[in-house]
Amino acid sequence: MKSFAAYQKYLKYLALPGLALVTAGLMVGIIAGWTLLPAGLLLAGIGLLLLGLVLGNQGQGRFWAQRSTEAGANALVSTLAVLVILGLVNFLAVRYASRVDLTENQLFTLAPQSQEVVKSLNTPARVVIFDPVPNPQDRQLLESYRQRGPKFTFDYVNPYNDPRQAQEFGATQTGMVFIESGDTRRFLQNVSPTERLSERTLTNALDQVENNRALTVYFTQGHKEFAIDGSDTGFSQAAAALEEKSDVVKPLDLSKTSKVPDDASVVVVAGPAAEFFEPEVKALQTYLDGGGSLMLLIDPRTSPGLGTLLDPWGVTLDDRIVLDTSGSGQLVGLGPAAPLVTDYGDHPITRDFNGGRSFFPLVRPINVEEVPGVTATPILQSNPQSRAEAISTDGKLQYDENAPPSGPYTLGVALSRPVKGATAAADEPPPEARLVVIGNATFATDGLFEQQLNGDVFLNSVSWLGQQTDATLSIRPREVTNRRITLTVQQQIGLGVFALLVLPVIGLGLAVIMWLRRR
């Protein structure tokens, strides 16, 4: 039987697996936490290291003086130092997480409104997504909210593994998103591979949960206004967008009620083609005098009979239509009768548009005169190369293409005035009546509502009229700029020949020239 000395020379090789186990134990403990597994790996590794380093060279006094021992000790110390540094870096990265968005359009950065809302949360808010396979894009959006607001949290729940919680929330299908704060819990939206979590929806929900700012928006009916119930092409998309913000949308027939309901936050008159009766006009006037908010979207070639309502505000509706003769609209498929607007007033409705585009098919100018006590701000301006032309009684438009432009024209205006005799608390702004008049209603109808900034003009106007904070105004989704290079077949062939033939020949030629010069 061989003595212990015969096997002793092999024991030193136990140091290698020992070092591997120590490394594995440290890595698992730092990354996943110190549980039984990383502790066992670390202890086993230390044991093998001791066996290999001590017993493998027992009795050999020269062990600690050997170069291999010195090299091994240096390697061990260096490995431990690297692991400690990695651990500290990971700890600091988790403790003080920071991200830099290098995308051109800041695709992964929250809008300023979202940052302000989530940062100012006073009560904890939690978003629950019932989805067995979390989408990375949605998770990244939620992480951005959590980094900006310490009171915001979110959880992904697999409804198949936790049916009790799904039943408690009323989640009947995968992809349902809920928000809860205190005793308040409500459904937000459905997410799917084709529909991602909406930043606008989430921000508005957080603001409404925090401040209880849901609006009740009435759309007048009975004067051939656009429908809101989807029975015909009209304002069904606009109504759905308001309901997405948790606003309440209702029809209003003033011929039956004789007054605007007390719970009305905003009244919208969307494209009336028939005149209002005098009692209806008086009901709207009384509503405004009491501090109400009214939006008038009046198409050309219509006479809704609202002159007595608009006169005290210094507003008159021009009977002409605005033509954009600059040709800028033709670049995106629009004719001169659909002015493309990129000039917006300095107002909460349009302040964040940053030169974005909206368009208004067949729009009439809005004339505004200065009235004491009334603050009027043009929010939509036509191109300076535009002009206004009248339409004949038979609906024909005749104009001289060589006539000089006379623009810009005001296409939309926002007005406000204090309520007479009303007082406010010391920490609240004085009550005021608000009015938005736009010389077109078609821009926000189904099909056009989601084009460019058209929907934003409507939603932001409703939010301002409802005297909500700027944080709840519309947030446009980020769009990826198309940077693709489209090549023809000939260009592709030419590029391939240049890369596979011309460049190698040039390189070979230069190499030959250098070789000849060195000779």
Side-chain angles (χ1 to χ4, degrees):
M1 226 177 141
K2 294 185 177 180
S3 62
F4 173 76
Y7 296 99
Q8 187 176 2
K9 62 181 180 179
Y10 298 108
L11 293 178
K12 63 182 180 180
Y13 296 110
L14 293 177
L16 296 177
L19 181 61
L21 290 177
V22 169
T23 304
L26 290 173
M27 293 297 293
V28 173
I30 293 172
I31 296 175
W34 290 101
T35 60
L36 186 60
L37 176 61
L41 291 175
L42 188 60
L43 291 176
I46 293 175
L48 291 178
L49 275 174
L50 293 175
L51 287 174
L53 296 177
V54 179
L55 297 180
N57 291 275
Q58 188 176 13
Q60 300 181 20
R62 64 182 183 277
F63 166 71
W64 298 106
Q66 291 179 357
R67 180 172 296 180
S68 59
T69 303
E70 182 181 355
N74 289 336
L76 178 61
V77 172
S78 300
T79 301
L80 292 175
V82 169
L83 291 176
V84 170
I85 293 172
L86 288 176
L88 289 175
V89 170
N90 278 275
F91 172 77
L92 293 175
V94 173
R95 180 76 175 179
Y96 306 100
S98 178
R99 297 185 302 171
V100 178
D101 189 353
L102 300 179
T103 58
E104 179 180 0
N105 294 332
Q106 299 294 289
L107 298 177
F108 306 107
T109 300
L110 293 179
Q113 301 98 318
S114 300
Q115 297 182 28
E116 183 64 27
V117 168
V118 72
K119 190 186 301 182
S120 60
L121 286 176
N122 294 318
T123 57
R126 173 174 173 250
V127 172
V128 181
I129 307 98
F130 290 91
D131 197 341
V133 184
N135 181 274
Q137 182 179 342
D138 291 347
R139 181 181 285 275
Q140 191 169 48
L141 176 63
L142 294 168
E143 285 287 356
S144 298
Y145 276 92
R146 183 158 60 183
Q147 289 182 357
R148 291 290 180 178
K151 292 186 179 296
F152 177 87
T153 58
F154 70 92
D155 291 301
Y156 273 93
V157 178
N158 188 333
Y160 304 111
N161 296 338
D162 195 351
R164 175 177 295 182
Q165 189 170 359
Q167 184 178 8
E168 179 183 350
F169 275 79
T172 57
Q173 59 181 352
T174 59
M176 296 186 72
V177 183
F178 296 83
I179 184 171
E180 64 176 1
S181 179
D183 297 331
T184 304
R185 176 187 297 163
R186 66 182 182 86
F187 170 76
L188 279 185
Q189 68 171 101
N190 279 313
V191 294
S192 65
T194 58
E195 184 177 358
R196 303 276 30 103
L197 187 61
S198 169
E199 179 183 348
R200 181 174 65 186
T201 300
L202 183 52
T203 296
N204 285 317
L206 289 172
D207 183 74
Q208 290 160 12
V209 165
E210 178 73 13
N211 301 294
N212 192 22
R213 291 195 178 110
L215 302 178
T216 301
V217 183
Y218 282 91
F219 284 78
T220 61
Q221 302 292 300
H223 314 90
K224 299 182 180 179
E225 293 97 335
F226 286 106
I228 61 174
D229 57 2
S231 59
D232 197 2
T233 300
F235 271 58
S236 60
Q237 287 185 340
L242 291 173
E243 291 173 343
E244 181 182 308
K245 297 171 54 180
S246 297
D247 294 340
V248 179
V249 177
K250 297 180 180 181
L252 174 61
D253 191 342
L254 290 172
S255 65
K256 298 179 180 179
T257 63
S258 73
K259 61 172 292 189
V260 176
D262 295 335
D263 66 340
S265 305
V266 180
V267 175
V268 180
V269 180
E275 288 191 16
F276 282 72
F277 293 118
E278 184 177 349
E280 295 177 313
V281 178
K282 288 183 177 179
L284 292 175
Q285 183 66 62
T286 302
Y287 171 67
L288 277 176
D289 291 341
S293 297
L294 179 64
M295 178 189 290
L296 299 180
L297 309 178
I298 313 297
D299 285 318
R301 301 184 62 198
T302 60
S303 299
L306 298 174
T308 56
L309 176 72
L310 295 174
D311 287 342
W313 295 81
V315 175
T316 56
L317 302 175
D318 200 312
D319 292 330
R320 299 173 295 172
I321 68 169
V322 177
L323 301 178
D324 184 0
T325 59
S326 67
S328 59
Q330 297 178 2
L331 300 175
V332 291
L334 299 175
L340 189 69
V341 174
T342 58
D343 185 11
Y344 305 97
D346 184 14
H347 192 271
I349 294 176
T350 54
R351 188 166 294 155
D352 295 329
F353 283 2
N354 298 323
R357 300 182 294 185
S358 56
F359 59 93
F360 301 82
L362 294 179
V363 59
R364 69 197 309 167
I366 305 296
N367 301 320
V368 183
E369 296 181 359
E370 186 175 349
V371 174
V374 175
T375 302
T377 304
I379 57 174
L380 303 169
Q381 296 279 350
S382 67
N383 192 291
Q385 300 299 315
S386 59
R387 64 176 188 266
E389 298 287 348
I391 301 179
S392 62
T393 55
D394 56 358
K396 293 183 179 179
L397 175 65
Q398 296 179 350
Y399 65 96
D400 183 7
E401 295 182 356
N402 298 320
S406 54
Y409 291 92
T410 298
L411 308 182
V413 60
L415 308 102
S416 62
R417 70 182 183 192
V419 178
K420 294 181 180 179
T423 58
D427 57 344
E428 294 182 0
E432 62 180 13
R434 294 185 174 185
L435 175 66
V436 170
V437 184
I438 298 177
N440 175 266
T442 312
F443 79 97
T445 55
D446 301 339
L448 299 183
F449 180 81
E450 296 181 345
Q451 300 295 322
Q452 302 296 325
L453 291 175
N454 286 19
D456 298 76
V457 172
F458 177 81
L459 293 176
N460 285 10
S461 297
V462 172
S463 295
W464 178 76
L465 287 170
Q467 305 193 27
Q468 292 181 316
T469 60
D470 291 347
T472 59
L473 297 184
S474 177
I475 301 171
R476 289 194 58 78
R478 305 294 202 279
E479 296 180 357
V480 180
T481 304
N482 186 359
R483 298 297 185 187
R484 296 184 178 90
I485 299 177
T486 304
L487 301 177
T488 64
V489 176
Q490 292 79 4
Q491 290 173 331
Q492 295 178 28
I493 295 175
L495 185 61
V497 171
F498 181 78
L500 300 177
L501 182 61
V502 176
L503 282 180
V505 170
I506 293 176
L508 181 61
L510 292 176
V512 171
I513 292 174
M514 293 293 294
W515 179 73
L516 292 175
R517 291 185 62 182
R518 291 185 177 183
R519 290 192 61 189

